[in-house]
Amino acid sequence: MAAHRNEMVLDLTDYVSQETPSDDKDLLIKGLDWVERWLGARLGEPAARRIFDGGEHGDTVVLDYPSTSSPDGTWVTTLCHYDTVWPAGTLADWAATIDGDCFTGPGAFDMKAGLVQLVWALKGCEALELPRPHVRLVLNGDEETGSPASRPVIEQEVVRSAAVLVFEASENGALKTARKGVGIFRVEARGEEVHAGLNPEAGASAVDEISRVVLALHAATDLDKGTSVNVGVLNGGTRTNVKAGRATAQVDVRVSSDEEARRIDALFASLRPHNPQAELTVSGGWNRPVMPRSSDTVRMFETANEVAAAQGFELDEISVGGASDGNFAAALGLPVLDGLGAVGAGAHARSEWVSISGMLERAALAAGLLTRLA
C-alpha cells in the first residue's frame, strides 16, 4: 500500500472533485458514472452489474467481483455510498487539499476515502495473489437522506452473502460493532384560532399543545438505556394576537434496543391533546433498525484485530449513536463490521479530514480481513 500512496491520494482527490450532493439527481448521475469508470480502470469490469433507479434519489448500483483464487468461496457484501451532504458549488471555495498527512475536502471522510480503501484492498489481494471471498459492492446515492430508495436493494443483496463490511468512516480509528436505531417523527397539533385578547378563554392553542408534547417527549430520554429524544424543529402560529391554529414538532429518536423502540412507540401512541378542542397527529417512523453488538460481529472484529496485530497495530471497537446502511443488514441477522473506512474526523463539517497514512493502513487491514474471510 505504501508503494501506491500517490495513486491512492490521486484517486481520492479525483473522487472528492466529483460533487455528489444527495439532493441533486443530475450531479449524482454524473458522479456515479465517474465512479463506475474509475472502478473499471482500477479493478476491471465486474462480472455482473445491476442498477436500480432511485427516482428522485440517487441510483443504486450492485457490482459483483468474483474471486479467482477461491472459486468455491463465500460471498461478502461491501456497502458504500457515493452521495454527500455538501451542496453543489462547495468545491468552489473548498477543493481537495493536502497538508502533510492530512487530506481535506467535501465528503473525503464521509465516505469517499472508504471506497478508495476498498478498491486498493482488492487490488492488493490481486497483486499479492492472496485468496479472497467473492465480493459484492453495493453503492448507493441516498444514504445521507436515510436510504429511502436503496434500502430494499440493500436488504435484497446482503442476504446473499455470509458477512457484510461497511466502509463508513471509523470513530477516532475504532471500528463500529454496534449502532443505534433511528426514528424520525413529526407531531402536528391543530387548534382553533380565536382573537387572543378578545376571547382568551375560547379556542384552542396549537402552540400550547405542541409545547406540552415537547416536554413529554424530552422527558422520555433515558441515556442510561441509550435512548435520546430530540425535538429539533418547532413551528407554529401566525400572529401574536391569534391563538395558534397549527403547530408542528420534528423529532429525532435514537435507541440502543428494540425494547426501547417499543417504549417510544407506545409514548407516541399515548399522546393526547390537553384541550379537547385540539387534535394531535403523529407521522413518520423508524428510519433504521438497531444494529446490536452480536456475537458474530464480535468474532469478525476479533478476526480484524488479529489481522491488525499481525500488521503492527491494534484496533478498538465502539458503539455509536449514528446509523448507517449496516443497520439494515444487522436487522436481518447478518454479521456486520462497520467503520472500516477513513481514519480522521469531522463528518458533515468543514473540518472534515482524512489521515493519508491511516488510509494506507486501513486498505492493508481490509485486504488482510478479506483474506481471512476467504
Side-chain angles (χ1 to χ4, degrees):
M1 294 304 167
H4 294 278
R5 178 187 187 277
N6 291 342
E7 293 166 274
M8 293 177 69
V9 171
L10 179 60
D11 281 351
L12 183 57
T13 302
D14 289 344
Y15 189 12
V16 168
S17 299
Q18 313 303 313
E19 291 194 306
T20 52
S22 301
D23 59 356
D24 192 319
K25 184 63 181 272
D26 290 339
L27 284 177
L28 288 170
I29 291 172
K30 290 175 60 178
L32 181 57
D33 177 68
W34 182 92
V35 168
E36 289 202 71
R37 285 187 283 108
W38 167 65
L39 289 172
R42 287 301 190 204
L43 300 177
E45 293 305 311
R49 173 186 184 270
R50 299 176 293 286
I51 189 161
F52 301 85
D53 185 358
E56 64 181 311
H57 304 285
D59 297 340
T60 300
V61 67
V62 181
L63 306 173
D64 288 350
Y65 297 98
S67 170
T68 56
S69 59
S70 306
D72 298 325
T74 59
W75 282 88
V76 169
T77 298
T78 56
L79 301 180
C80 297
H81 65 86
Y82 61 94
D83 65 317
T84 74
V85 300
W86 299 104
T90 300
L91 286 170
D93 61 356
W94 184 27
T97 304
I98 300 168
D99 182 8
D101 186 54
C102 179
F103 184 110
T104 65
F109 182 67
D110 185 14
M111 60 164 287
K112 292 186 174 183
L115 180 58
V116 172
Q117 292 168 201
L118 170 60
V119 166
W120 280 91
L122 292 171
K123 286 184 67 65
C125 289
E126 178 185 11
L128 299 174
E129 298 181 347
L130 298 173
R132 68 164 176 84
H134 306 304
V135 172
R136 176 172 294 114
L137 170 60
V138 179
L139 189 61
N140 65 316
D142 64 348
E143 193 275 343
E144 296 293 4
T145 56
S147 304
S150 61
R151 177 176 182 173
V153 179
I154 293 167
E155 292 174 334
Q156 166 188 303
E157 296 296 334
V158 295
V159 295
R160 301 165 57 206
S161 59
V164 177
L165 305 179
V166 185
F167 282 80
E168 288 276 10
S170 67
E171 181 71 19
N172 294 321
L175 303 190
K176 300 167 183 177
T177 52
R179 285 183 178 269
K180 291 185 179 182
V182 179
I184 301 174
F185 297 87
R186 183 176 186 270
V187 183
E188 181 176 353
R190 293 187 180 183
E192 182 179 338
E193 293 179 331
V194 296
H195 194 294
L198 295 178
N199 299 298
E201 296 180 357
S205 169
V207 166
D208 179 76
E209 296 294 339
I210 210 70
S211 298
R212 296 172 189 272
V213 167
V214 171
L215 292 174
L217 292 177
H218 281 185
T221 291
D222 188 337
L223 298 182
D224 289 338
K225 293 183 178 179
T227 299
S228 61
V229 182
N230 180 63
V231 177
V233 180
L234 197 62
N235 295 296
T238 55
R239 296 180 182 275
T240 58
N241 61 352
V242 178
K243 280 194 176 182
R246 181 168 296 185
T248 60
Q250 298 182 46
V251 192
D252 177 279
V253 184
R254 309 281 167 140
V255 296
S256 293
S257 69
D258 293 336
E259 180 182 5
E260 280 295 281
R262 289 190 291 270
R263 180 176 72 88
I264 297 299
D265 280 336
L267 171 61
F268 278 109
S270 71
L271 293 176
R272 297 291 184 271
H274 176 73
N275 188 323
Q277 292 177 266
E279 296 179 0
L280 293 177
T281 304
V282 178
S283 57
W286 295 101
N287 174 256
R288 285 189 172 89
V290 175
M291 175 181 152
R293 185 178 180 270
S294 70
S295 57
D296 286 340
T297 289
V298 170
R299 280 194 291 271
M300 194 151 57
F301 170 76
E302 290 171 348
T303 299
N305 208 14
E306 291 171 3
V307 172
Q311 295 180 2
F313 62 99
E314 293 185 3
L315 287 175
D316 292 321
E317 62 170 309
I318 193 171
S319 171
V320 295
S324 80
D325 291 331
N327 290 57
F328 301 136
L332 296 173
L334 292 162
V336 179
L337 192 56
D338 204 336
L340 285 162
V343 175
H348 299 189
R350 284 269 178 165
S351 58
E352 183 173 11
W353 67 278
V354 170
S355 163
I356 296 173
S357 60
M359 190 163 63
L360 306 181
E361 175 188 271
R362 294 308 165 92
L365 171 68
L369 179 57
L370 287 170
T371 297
R372 290 289 299 270
L373 292 177

